[in-house]
Structure formats: structure tokens, C-alpha cells
Short mmCIF file of all heavy atoms in Angstrom, two decimals:
data_model
loop_
_atom_site.label_atom_id
_atom_site.label_comp_id
_atom_site.label_asym_id
_atom_site.label_seq_id
_atom_site.Cartn_x
_atom_site.Cartn_y
_atom_site.Cartn_z
N THR A 264 -27.64 -105.32 -37.13
CA THR A 264 -27.29 -106.54 -36.40
C THR A 264 -26.78 -107.62 -37.33
O THR A 264 -25.76 -108.27 -37.06
CB THR A 264 -28.51 -107.05 -35.61
OG1 THR A 264 -28.92 -106.06 -34.67
CG2 THR A 264 -28.17 -108.34 -34.87
N VAL A 265 -27.47 -107.82 -38.45
CA VAL A 265 -27.04 -108.86 -39.40
C VAL A 265 -25.68 -108.50 -39.99
O VAL A 265 -24.77 -109.35 -40.05
CB VAL A 265 -28.09 -109.05 -40.51
CG1 VAL A 265 -27.55 -110.01 -41.58
CG2 VAL A 265 -29.39 -109.60 -39.94
N LEU A 266 -25.50 -107.26 -40.40
CA LEU A 266 -24.23 -106.86 -41.02
C LEU A 266 -23.06 -106.95 -40.05
O LEU A 266 -21.94 -107.29 -40.43
CB LEU A 266 -24.34 -105.45 -41.60
CG LEU A 266 -25.29 -105.29 -42.79
CD1 LEU A 266 -25.35 -103.83 -43.24
CD2 LEU A 266 -24.88 -106.18 -43.95
N GLU A 267 -23.33 -106.66 -38.78
CA GLU A 267 -22.26 -106.65 -37.79
C GLU A 267 -21.99 -108.02 -37.17
O GLU A 267 -20.85 -108.35 -36.86
CB GLU A 267 -22.60 -105.66 -36.67
CG GLU A 267 -22.58 -104.21 -37.11
CD GLU A 267 -23.09 -103.26 -36.03
OE1 GLU A 267 -23.32 -103.72 -34.90
OE2 GLU A 267 -23.26 -102.07 -36.34
N CYS A 268 -23.04 -108.83 -37.01
CA CYS A 268 -22.91 -110.07 -36.24
C CYS A 268 -23.02 -111.35 -37.07
O CYS A 268 -22.76 -112.44 -36.55
CB CYS A 268 -23.97 -110.11 -35.13
SG CYS A 268 -23.90 -108.70 -34.01
N MET A 269 -23.42 -111.25 -38.34
CA MET A 269 -23.57 -112.42 -39.19
C MET A 269 -22.78 -112.18 -40.47
O MET A 269 -23.35 -111.88 -41.53
CB MET A 269 -25.06 -112.69 -39.48
CG MET A 269 -25.89 -112.90 -38.22
SD MET A 269 -27.69 -113.05 -38.54
CE MET A 269 -27.75 -114.63 -39.41
N PRO A 270 -21.47 -112.29 -40.42
CA PRO A 270 -20.59 -111.86 -41.51
C PRO A 270 -20.76 -112.61 -42.83
O PRO A 270 -20.28 -112.14 -43.87
CB PRO A 270 -19.19 -112.06 -40.94
CG PRO A 270 -19.35 -113.07 -39.85
CD PRO A 270 -20.71 -112.81 -39.27
N ASP A 271 -21.41 -113.75 -42.81
CA ASP A 271 -21.60 -114.52 -44.04
C ASP A 271 -23.00 -114.37 -44.63
O ASP A 271 -23.35 -115.08 -45.58
CB ASP A 271 -21.31 -116.01 -43.78
CG ASP A 271 -19.88 -116.26 -43.34
OD1 ASP A 271 -18.97 -115.60 -43.88
OD2 ASP A 271 -19.67 -117.09 -42.45
N THR A 272 -23.79 -113.48 -44.05
CA THR A 272 -25.19 -113.35 -44.43
C THR A 272 -25.45 -112.04 -45.17
O THR A 272 -24.92 -110.99 -44.79
CB THR A 272 -26.10 -113.43 -43.19
OG1 THR A 272 -25.82 -114.65 -42.50
CG2 THR A 272 -27.56 -113.39 -43.56
N ILE A 273 -26.25 -112.11 -46.20
CA ILE A 273 -26.62 -110.94 -47.01
C ILE A 273 -27.99 -110.44 -46.54
O ILE A 273 -28.86 -111.23 -46.15
CB ILE A 273 -26.66 -111.32 -48.50
CG1 ILE A 273 -25.22 -111.56 -49.00
CG2 ILE A 273 -27.35 -110.25 -49.35
CD1 ILE A 273 -25.13 -112.16 -50.38
N VAL A 274 -28.18 -109.12 -46.58
CA VAL A 274 -29.45 -108.51 -46.17
C VAL A 274 -30.11 -107.85 -47.38
O VAL A 274 -29.46 -107.10 -48.12
CB VAL A 274 -29.25 -107.44 -45.08
CG1 VAL A 274 -30.60 -106.92 -44.60
CG2 VAL A 274 -28.45 -107.98 -43.92
N VAL A 275 -31.40 -108.11 -47.55
CA VAL A 275 -32.21 -107.44 -48.57
C VAL A 275 -33.33 -106.72 -47.83
O VAL A 275 -34.23 -107.35 -47.29
CB VAL A 275 -32.78 -108.43 -49.60
CG1 VAL A 275 -33.60 -107.68 -50.65
CG2 VAL A 275 -31.66 -109.23 -50.26
N ALA A 276 -33.26 -105.39 -47.81
CA ALA A 276 -34.20 -104.60 -47.03
C ALA A 276 -35.08 -103.74 -47.93
O ALA A 276 -34.89 -103.70 -49.15
CB ALA A 276 -33.43 -103.71 -46.05
N ALA A 277 -36.06 -103.04 -47.31
CA ALA A 277 -36.99 -102.21 -48.06
C ALA A 277 -37.10 -100.83 -47.45
O ALA A 277 -37.00 -100.67 -46.23
CB ALA A 277 -38.37 -102.86 -48.10
N SER A 278 -37.31 -99.84 -48.30
CA SER A 278 -37.52 -98.47 -47.84
C SER A 278 -38.34 -97.70 -48.86
O SER A 278 -37.87 -97.39 -49.95
CB SER A 278 -36.17 -97.76 -47.64
OG SER A 278 -36.36 -96.41 -47.26
N GLY A 279 -39.61 -97.43 -48.51
CA GLY A 279 -40.46 -96.61 -49.37
C GLY A 279 -41.23 -97.39 -50.40
O GLY A 279 -40.69 -97.74 -51.45
N MET A 280 -42.52 -97.68 -50.08
CA MET A 280 -43.38 -98.33 -51.07
C MET A 280 -44.83 -97.90 -50.91
O MET A 280 -45.72 -98.44 -51.53
CB MET A 280 -43.27 -99.85 -51.01
CG MET A 280 -43.98 -100.54 -49.87
SD MET A 280 -43.34 -100.23 -48.21
CE MET A 280 -41.67 -100.80 -48.32
N ALA A 281 -45.05 -96.88 -50.06
CA ALA A 281 -46.41 -96.42 -49.81
C ALA A 281 -46.90 -95.49 -50.92
O ALA A 281 -46.14 -95.05 -51.77
CB ALA A 281 -46.46 -95.69 -48.46
N GLY A 282 -48.19 -95.19 -50.89
CA GLY A 282 -48.77 -94.22 -51.81
C GLY A 282 -49.08 -94.77 -53.18
O GLY A 282 -48.88 -95.95 -53.47
N ALA A 283 -49.55 -93.89 -54.04
CA ALA A 283 -49.97 -94.27 -55.39
C ALA A 283 -49.00 -93.75 -56.44
O ALA A 283 -49.36 -93.47 -57.57
CB ALA A 283 -51.37 -93.72 -55.67
N GLY A 284 -47.73 -93.62 -56.04
CA GLY A 284 -46.72 -93.15 -56.97
C GLY A 284 -46.48 -94.13 -58.11
O GLY A 284 -46.99 -95.26 -58.11
N SER A 285 -45.68 -93.72 -59.07
CA SER A 285 -45.39 -94.55 -60.23
C SER A 285 -44.75 -95.87 -59.81
O SER A 285 -43.85 -95.88 -58.96
CB SER A 285 -44.45 -93.81 -61.18
OG SER A 285 -43.97 -94.69 -62.19
N PRO A 286 -45.16 -96.95 -60.42
CA PRO A 286 -44.50 -98.23 -60.13
C PRO A 286 -43.03 -98.23 -60.54
O PRO A 286 -42.24 -98.98 -59.99
CB PRO A 286 -45.32 -99.25 -60.94
CG PRO A 286 -45.96 -98.45 -62.03
CD PRO A 286 -46.24 -97.12 -61.41
N ASN A 287 -42.70 -97.39 -61.50
CA ASN A 287 -41.32 -97.33 -61.99
C ASN A 287 -40.36 -96.67 -61.00
O ASN A 287 -39.15 -96.70 -61.19
CB ASN A 287 -41.27 -96.58 -63.32
CG ASN A 287 -42.04 -97.30 -64.40
OD1 ASN A 287 -42.07 -98.53 -64.44
ND2 ASN A 287 -42.67 -96.55 -65.28
N GLU A 288 -40.92 -96.09 -59.91
CA GLU A 288 -40.06 -95.52 -58.88
C GLU A 288 -39.52 -96.59 -57.94
O GLU A 288 -38.56 -96.34 -57.20
CB GLU A 288 -40.85 -94.48 -58.08
CG GLU A 288 -41.25 -93.25 -58.89
CD GLU A 288 -42.20 -92.34 -58.14
OE1 GLU A 288 -42.67 -92.74 -57.05
OE2 GLU A 288 -42.49 -91.25 -58.64
N ILE A 289 -40.14 -97.76 -57.94
CA ILE A 289 -39.64 -98.85 -57.11
C ILE A 289 -38.45 -99.47 -57.82
O ILE A 289 -38.53 -99.88 -58.99
CB ILE A 289 -40.73 -99.93 -56.90
CG1 ILE A 289 -41.99 -99.32 -56.28
CG2 ILE A 289 -40.19 -101.07 -56.04
CD1 ILE A 289 -41.82 -98.81 -54.88
N ARG A 290 -37.32 -99.55 -57.12
CA ARG A 290 -36.09 -100.06 -57.72
C ARG A 290 -35.23 -100.71 -56.64
O ARG A 290 -35.57 -100.69 -55.48
CB ARG A 290 -35.33 -98.94 -58.43
CG ARG A 290 -34.97 -97.77 -57.53
CD ARG A 290 -34.62 -96.54 -58.37
NE ARG A 290 -34.10 -95.44 -57.56
CZ ARG A 290 -34.86 -94.58 -56.88
NH1 ARG A 290 -36.18 -94.72 -56.90
NH2 ARG A 290 -34.31 -93.61 -56.18
N THR A 291 -34.11 -101.26 -57.07
CA THR A 291 -33.20 -101.94 -56.16
C THR A 291 -31.80 -101.35 -56.29
O THR A 291 -31.33 -101.12 -57.40
CB THR A 291 -33.14 -103.45 -56.47
OG1 THR A 291 -34.45 -104.00 -56.36
CG2 THR A 291 -32.20 -104.18 -55.53
N LYS A 292 -31.18 -101.11 -55.14
CA LYS A 292 -29.80 -100.62 -55.11
C LYS A 292 -28.93 -101.56 -54.29
O LYS A 292 -29.37 -102.06 -53.24
CB LYS A 292 -29.72 -99.23 -54.47
CG LYS A 292 -30.21 -98.09 -55.34
CD LYS A 292 -29.96 -96.76 -54.61
CE LYS A 292 -30.41 -95.57 -55.45
NZ LYS A 292 -30.15 -94.29 -54.74
N ARG A 293 -27.71 -101.76 -54.75
CA ARG A 293 -26.74 -102.48 -53.93
C ARG A 293 -25.97 -101.44 -53.12
O ARG A 293 -25.18 -100.67 -53.66
CB ARG A 293 -25.78 -103.29 -54.80
CG ARG A 293 -24.89 -104.21 -53.97
CD ARG A 293 -23.92 -104.99 -54.85
NE ARG A 293 -23.21 -106.00 -54.06
CZ ARG A 293 -22.21 -106.74 -54.53
NH1 ARG A 293 -21.81 -106.59 -55.79
NH2 ARG A 293 -21.62 -107.62 -53.74
N ILE A 294 -26.24 -101.41 -51.82
CA ILE A 294 -25.66 -100.39 -50.96
C ILE A 294 -24.22 -100.74 -50.59
O ILE A 294 -23.34 -99.87 -50.54
CB ILE A 294 -26.49 -100.22 -49.67
CG1 ILE A 294 -27.96 -99.92 -50.03
CG2 ILE A 294 -25.91 -99.12 -48.79
CD1 ILE A 294 -28.16 -98.66 -50.84
N SER A 295 -23.98 -102.01 -50.32
CA SER A 295 -22.64 -102.49 -50.00
C SER A 295 -22.54 -103.95 -50.42
O SER A 295 -23.49 -104.51 -50.98
CB SER A 295 -22.34 -102.33 -48.50
OG SER A 295 -23.18 -103.18 -47.73
N LYS A 296 -21.44 -104.57 -50.15
CA LYS A 296 -21.20 -105.95 -50.60
C LYS A 296 -22.29 -106.90 -50.13
O LYS A 296 -22.67 -107.83 -50.85
CB LYS A 296 -19.84 -106.41 -50.10
CG LYS A 296 -19.44 -107.80 -50.59
CD LYS A 296 -18.06 -108.17 -50.09
CE LYS A 296 -17.66 -109.56 -50.59
NZ LYS A 296 -16.30 -109.95 -50.11
N ARG A 297 -22.83 -106.67 -48.92
CA ARG A 297 -23.82 -107.60 -48.35
C ARG A 297 -25.16 -106.96 -48.06
O ARG A 297 -25.96 -107.51 -47.31
CB ARG A 297 -23.26 -108.22 -47.06
CG ARG A 297 -22.03 -109.08 -47.26
CD ARG A 297 -21.69 -109.90 -46.02
NE ARG A 297 -21.29 -109.07 -44.89
CZ ARG A 297 -21.96 -109.00 -43.75
NH1 ARG A 297 -23.08 -109.69 -43.55
NH2 ARG A 297 -21.52 -108.23 -42.77
N PHE A 298 -25.43 -105.80 -48.67
CA PHE A 298 -26.64 -105.07 -48.32
C PHE A 298 -27.31 -104.51 -49.57
O PHE A 298 -26.72 -103.70 -50.30
CB PHE A 298 -26.30 -103.95 -47.34
CG PHE A 298 -27.46 -103.10 -46.90
CD1 PHE A 298 -28.75 -103.60 -46.83
CD2 PHE A 298 -27.25 -101.78 -46.52
CE1 PHE A 298 -29.81 -102.82 -46.42
CE2 PHE A 298 -28.30 -100.97 -46.11
CZ PHE A 298 -29.58 -101.50 -46.05
N TYR A 299 -28.56 -104.94 -49.81
CA TYR A 299 -29.37 -104.45 -50.92
C TYR A 299 -30.60 -103.75 -50.35
O TYR A 299 -31.14 -104.17 -49.33
CB TYR A 299 -29.82 -105.61 -51.81
CG TYR A 299 -28.71 -106.31 -52.54
CD1 TYR A 299 -27.92 -107.27 -51.89
CD2 TYR A 299 -28.42 -106.02 -53.87
CE1 TYR A 299 -26.89 -107.92 -52.56
CE2 TYR A 299 -27.40 -106.68 -54.54
CZ TYR A 299 -26.63 -107.62 -53.88
OH TYR A 299 -25.62 -108.26 -54.54
N LEU A 300 -31.05 -102.70 -51.03
CA LEU A 300 -32.22 -101.94 -50.58
C LEU A 300 -33.19 -101.78 -51.74
O LEU A 300 -32.80 -101.38 -52.85
CB LEU A 300 -31.77 -100.57 -50.07
CG LEU A 300 -32.82 -99.73 -49.32
CD1 LEU A 300 -33.30 -100.44 -48.07
CD2 LEU A 300 -32.23 -98.37 -48.95
N CYS A 301 -34.47 -102.06 -51.46
CA CYS A 301 -35.51 -102.01 -52.48
C CYS A 301 -36.59 -101.00 -52.08
O CYS A 301 -36.92 -100.89 -50.90
CB CYS A 301 -36.16 -103.37 -52.67
SG CYS A 301 -35.00 -104.71 -53.03
N GLY A 302 -37.15 -100.29 -53.05
CA GLY A 302 -38.22 -99.34 -52.79
C GLY A 302 -38.01 -98.07 -53.57
O GLY A 302 -37.22 -98.02 -54.52
N ASP A 303 -38.74 -97.01 -53.17
CA ASP A 303 -38.48 -95.70 -53.80
C ASP A 303 -37.58 -94.86 -52.91
O ASP A 303 -37.20 -93.75 -53.29
CB ASP A 303 -39.79 -94.98 -54.13
CG ASP A 303 -40.62 -94.59 -52.91
OD1 ASP A 303 -40.08 -94.55 -51.77
OD2 ASP A 303 -41.81 -94.30 -53.07
N PHE A 304 -37.28 -95.37 -51.70
CA PHE A 304 -36.34 -94.78 -50.75
C PHE A 304 -36.82 -93.46 -50.17
O PHE A 304 -36.07 -92.75 -49.52
CB PHE A 304 -34.95 -94.59 -51.37
CG PHE A 304 -34.49 -95.75 -52.20
CD1 PHE A 304 -34.03 -95.58 -53.50
CD2 PHE A 304 -34.56 -97.05 -51.70
CE1 PHE A 304 -33.62 -96.66 -54.26
CE2 PHE A 304 -34.16 -98.14 -52.46
CZ PHE A 304 -33.68 -97.94 -53.75
N VAL A 305 -38.09 -93.11 -50.39
CA VAL A 305 -38.61 -91.80 -49.97
C VAL A 305 -39.93 -91.92 -49.22
O VAL A 305 -40.08 -91.39 -48.12
CB VAL A 305 -38.80 -90.87 -51.19
CG1 VAL A 305 -39.45 -89.56 -50.75
CG2 VAL A 305 -37.47 -90.61 -51.90
#
């Protein structure tokens, strides 16, 4: 919704932070010009 309807707004989202996995697995990726994703993605 934000990417499609709010063209001047950037989104920072999360995917995957559960469990007792290594803290070093948490990272940030720039998916597109206005979209960032944080987590282990899994």
C-alpha cells in the first residue's frame, strides 16, 4: 500500500527475528529505491 499509494514515502520493514540464532544473521537489505528489509529473512 505504501509503495503503491504513497510515492514519496520510504518503507523499512522486518522479516525474521525469532529464535536463538546468531545475532550476526540479522541484517539490512535495500530491496528497491524506497524499500528496506531488516531481519534474517527466514
